[in-house]
Amino acid sequence: MTAADFEADDLTVAEEVVARAAVCVDNARRFTRERHAALTLQHSLLRVTTPEQSAATTACRHLPAAGPTGVGGDWFDIIPLSGARLGLIVGDVPGRGVHAVADAARLRTAVRALTQQDPAPDELLAQLDDIVAQAAEAAEYHPEAPTAGIGTTCLYAVYDPVARRCSLAGAAHLPPVVVQPSGVTLFPELRPGPPLGLGGMPFETTDIGLPEGSTLALYTNGLLRGERGHRDIGTVLHTLRRALTHPDGSLEQVCDAVLDALLPSRTPDDDAILLLARTNALGPDRVATWDLPLDPAIVGQARSLTGSQLAAWQLDELAFTTELIVSELVTNAIRYARAPIQLRLIRAASLICEVSDASSTSPHMRQAADTDEAGRGLFMIAQMADRWGTRYSLTGKTIWAECATPSSATVE
């Protein structure tokens, strides 16, 4: 067939076909470019590092959505907290694309900042709720970002390896799964809270006991939706519970077993996150606690108790630094706070020194003048410790400091 065989009408049809094909190709290029940008942003802003933790061993999987609707706003984080505790959080921002990923990154950054103050899980969610509400007000002037995170679901858990308890609070998120060392799986009953940004209902914290060797599983709804849209939730949860009791002891193997059961081709319709934590416990041989009277004469005894305990833990290299930290913290508690006063040392991945009292006054580090007789205690602690801070409770506060332990040290 030659050009002479075609008429003017054929040329019109060909031009229309080519024009439509060009639009399709351009749309495909735009979609590919936007998806690549969203994935790059997601990988760079939501990257999670998991250093060695004394509280738990962790493993996680994050699969971006493979469907044509684009990457979602699922996010998670693993946060070391004071007192050898560990914070775990997962969330799901509504929407798709770059804006959803940016909202997720903003919330994750806010969580990192808020956890420096050690709030209870319900208090952290309340502060996140305010952040989302304020962002929504600002977004009214930016129509290209309509959701601003309103409707985000979230679950925050804090595990304490000394008490062997976990505190959880949720914002309309799916409940976690607990796998006990015996293999029994449980869905803890959490008090439901509203999605972030909606307000109206308070958040509440639920405390549960977790024996050593328990596995806590947090996830997002993309894991349950799978690769073919909606499925029977009862069947999916049964499959999830069965996969979490994988006979292999490795958490990495358990993650793979769950994905093999629920997302065999690794192409979910919605972002899917699975975060596992297998709990450890710090027994009496790793924790030393003393109740101290409100008497300045006790400071010397507190130093002596600290030195003896560090010798038992073969941490003599830290004796001078830790005794000085203890001396400053106990002196400040006796001088400015109220009884009861408690000194606690924790041998975890680092050496943790804590002094608790019944006062809610907040200590502040300042630069003392040359002629000042006081005001150098916290400054000295900040110079000697790797980390330090304050956390509050219903009965008072705890000032803590952490010092890295020599790699050669062992626990008797």
Side-chain angles (χ1 to χ4, degrees), residues 136-379:
E137 293 179 3
E140 293 179 359
Y141 304 99
H142 300 280
E144 68 276 8
T147 65
I150 289 183
T152 296
T153 67
C154 183
L155 178 64
Y156 180 50
V158 176
Y159 174 67
D160 187 341
V162 177
R164 305 181 191 184
R165 298 195 65 82
C166 185
S167 301
L168 307 101
H173 199 82
L174 296 166
V177 182
V178 173
V179 182
Q180 296 180 339
S182 62
V184 176
T185 57
L186 304 171
F187 286 92
E189 294 185 6
L190 304 186
R191 300 179 180 93
L196 298 181
L198 300 184
M201 292 283 292
F203 302 96
E204 296 188 49
T205 296
T206 300
D207 291 320
I208 60 175
L210 289 182
E212 183 177 9
S214 300
T215 300
L216 181 67
L218 284 65
Y219 52 94
T220 58
N221 60 3
L223 185 70
L224 305 185
R225 290 183 59 186
E227 303 162 341
R228 294 179 298 278
H230 297 284
R231 299 182 291 185
D232 178 69
I233 187 64
T235 302
V236 174
L237 291 178
H238 176 73
T239 303
L240 174 62
R241 296 175 65 168
R242 185 175 56 191
L244 287 172
T245 57
H246 191 272
D248 193 294
S250 167
L251 285 186
E252 297 293 337
Q253 292 288 340
V254 175
C255 283
D256 291 337
V258 171
L259 295 185
D260 289 340
L262 298 177
L263 298 171
S265 64
R266 306 298 194 268
T267 55
D269 292 338
D270 191 8
D271 280 27
I273 287 178
L274 174 64
L275 175 58
L276 302 181
R278 181 163 294 160
T279 63
N280 301 323
L282 298 179
D285 60 324
R286 308 286 293 274
V287 182
T289 305
W290 300 278
D291 294 321
L292 305 178
L294 197 65
D295 181 0
I298 201 64
V299 176
Q301 184 179 349
R303 288 197 300 265
S304 177
L305 292 171
T306 299
S308 299
Q309 187 61 60
L310 294 185
W313 284 341
Q314 299 182 12
L315 294 176
D316 303 87
E317 296 179 33
L318 298 178
F320 177 79
T321 299
T322 307
E323 287 178 18
L324 187 54
I325 291 174
V326 167
S327 178
E328 291 295 334
L329 293 181
V330 173
T331 299
N332 285 344
I334 293 174
R335 180 175 299 177
Y336 303 112
R338 298 193 305 268
I341 298 175
Q342 185 181 83
L343 168 63
R344 184 169 76 159
L345 300 179
I346 303 175
R347 172 70 194 279
S350 60
L351 178 64
I352 303 170
C353 173
E354 299 182 341
V355 174
S356 304
D357 59 63
S359 172
S360 59
T361 56
S362 177
H364 296 283
M365 184 177 66
R366 63 185 179 90
Q367 181 69 52
D370 294 339
T371 57
D372 289 345
E373 296 183 1
R376 296 179 176 83
L378 290 180
F379 179 79

